[in-house]
């Protein structure tokens, strides 16, 4: 997949993932190396975590870069879809907090909640709120916030070697990063509790069976499938997809009247776009539509 280096990282170390330490080189790819790779190709924004030695445990710098890139994708008409993936054998092994800015004082009540709100929750919200479809191409282990990062995406593709782990309970922690919001909506409360209570590793095949993953493919085919799906979405009616994403994400949060009103409003907005008019015209004229994302 096309990538180019952006965003450096600070002095990071493998921490708080709940997984075995990746070894003495877990600090990352080294000074000057980009820990988030990014490129734009054919309307597809590729965002790639690049700390393979640390199983891509996400640092403060990486988190901020991903949030910024997702915001840029929303605002840039040239971006039609986002693919979020990683290098090496880990998609994201959790949060690595040792690269975060040092606290200015001793921790007091309220600090932890604020850290979660401004950190992990902002990251997940950035995916959910991105105005373009976001595909997760999960190449390996997705644990803790890494699993939630994948589950927040609109479509999830996984290599058959990937695993998903609600690792928090192994360290006596409450799930954060929107896990207790996302999982019940994806698999129901009973399954969500099973995953969060036991913290067992879930294979890609089992994740697909439960509905957490759209497709599982051999690892060598993951990139090609991500490119195929991204290409199809990039050729689609971008604003209609954005409004559809918004409707679906909000569908479980309100009653039927609210959902129906939102649907009607979304259709009203969408009918002002060029792509909607093109879609109707192409149907009448019996030809394939040519969407421009506006």
């Amino acid at each position: 997949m096309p990538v180019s280096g952006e965003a450096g990282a600070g002095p990071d170390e493998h921490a708080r993932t709940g997984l075995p330490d990746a070894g003495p080189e877990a600090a990352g790819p080294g000074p000057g190396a980009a820990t988030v790779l990014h490129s734009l190709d054919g309307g597809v924004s590729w965002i790639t975590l690049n700390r393979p030695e640390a199983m891509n445990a996400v640092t403060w710098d990486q988190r901020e870069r991903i949030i910024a890139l997702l915001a840029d994708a929303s605002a840039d008409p040239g971006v039609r879809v986002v693919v979020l993936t990683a290098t090496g054998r880990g998609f994201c092994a959790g949060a690595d907090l040792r690269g975060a800015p040092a606290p200015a004082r001793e921790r007091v009540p309220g600090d932890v909640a604020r850290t979660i709100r401004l950190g992990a929750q902002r990251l997940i919200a950035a995916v959910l709120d991105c105005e373009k479809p976001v595909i997760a191409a999960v190449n390996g282990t997705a644990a803790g916030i890494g699993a939630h990062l994948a589950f927040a995406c609109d479509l999830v593709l996984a290599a058959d070697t990937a695993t998903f782990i609600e690792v928090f309970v192994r360290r006596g922690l409450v799930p954060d990063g929107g896990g207790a919001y996302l999982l019940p909506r994806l698999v129901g409360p009973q399954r969500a509790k099973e995953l969060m209570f036991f913290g067992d590793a879930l294979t890609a095949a089992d994740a697909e069976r439960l509905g957490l993953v759209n497709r599982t493919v051999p690892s060598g085919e993951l990139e090609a499938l991500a490119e195929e799906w991204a290409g199809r979405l990039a050729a689609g009616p971008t604003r209609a997809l954005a409004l559809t994403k918004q409707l679906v994400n909000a569908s479980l949060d309100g009653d039927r009247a609210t959902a129906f009103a939102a649907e009607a409003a979304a259709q009203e907005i969408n009918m002002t776009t060029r792509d909607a008019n093109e879609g109707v015209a192409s149907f009448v004229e019996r030809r394939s539509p040519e969407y421009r994302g506006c």
Side-chain angles (χ1 to χ4, degrees):
M1 63 191 65
V3 291
S4 62
E6 293 189 15
D12 320 315
E13 292 180 323
H14 195 61
R16 230 207 88 185
T17 63
L19 297 174
D21 196 302
E25 297 180 353
T35 61
V36 175
L37 307 177
H38 177 249
S39 71
L40 179 61
D41 182 64
V44 183
S45 175
W46 292 87
I47 302 174
T48 306
L49 292 173
N50 187 39
R51 293 183 68 224
E53 299 86 350
M55 297 283 286
N56 291 302
V58 67
T59 67
W60 186 92
D61 290 326
Q62 287 176 300
R63 183 194 73 209
E64 294 304 306
R65 183 60 182 150
I66 294 168
I67 290 171
L69 288 170
L70 289 167
D72 290 346
S74 289
D76 185 355
V79 175
R80 309 283 290 275
V81 60
V82 176
V83 178
L84 184 59
T85 190
T87 58
R89 60 191 179 91
F91 175 73
C92 177
D96 185 335
L97 300 184
R98 297 191 189 180
R105 52 167 172 74
E106 183 178 350
R107 191 172 72 193
V108 299
D111 283 350
V112 172
R114 189 179 308 105
T115 297
I116 296 299
R117 186 173 65 252
L118 298 179
Q121 291 177 354
R122 276 181 60 243
L123 176 60
I124 299 305
V127 178
L128 294 171
D129 295 339
C130 182
E131 296 177 26
K132 309 298 166 64
V134 183
I135 300 173
V138 183
N139 54 297
T141 300
I145 187 65
H148 300 166
L149 183 60
F151 298 153
C153 292
D154 302 301
L155 299 168
V156 183
L157 308 176
D160 55 7
T161 54
T163 56
F164 299 85
I165 311 171
E166 286 297 316
V167 76
F168 300 93
V169 71
R170 298 186 184 184
R171 297 296 176 262
L173 300 174
V174 173
D176 62 33
Y181 173 86
L182 294 167
L183 277 171
R185 285 163 170 75
L186 293 169
V187 299
Q190 252 61 35
R191 289 290 192 184
K193 291 171 189 173
E194 177 184 348
L195 295 171
M196 291 179 167
F197 285 1
F198 294 112
D200 294 333
L202 191 67
T203 66
D206 284 340
E208 182 178 5
R209 177 177 56 83
L210 290 176
L212 291 167
V213 167
N214 294 88
R215 297 285 188 278
T216 299
V217 295
S219 57
E221 299 175 14
L222 180 63
E223 181 180 335
L225 182 60
E227 289 179 347
E228 178 192 343
W229 281 32
R232 291 177 63 186
L233 289 171
T238 307
R239 296 313 304 166
L241 292 174
L243 290 165
T244 301
K245 171 176 178 171
Q246 186 179 66
L247 288 173
V248 173
N249 284 354
S251 64
L252 296 178
D253 296 333
D255 57 22
R256 184 182 68 183
T258 301
F260 276 23
E263 177 184 273
Q267 194 68 289
E268 177 77 22
I269 294 169
N270 188 63
M271 287 306 296
T272 67
T273 66
R274 179 210 173 270
D275 281 351
N277 289 294
E278 166 64 7
V280 173
S282 66
F283 175 76
V284 172
E285 297 166 10
R286 297 184 178 182
R287 59 175 174 79
S288 296
E290 296 181 8
Y291 296 123
R292 298 181 184 176
C294 58

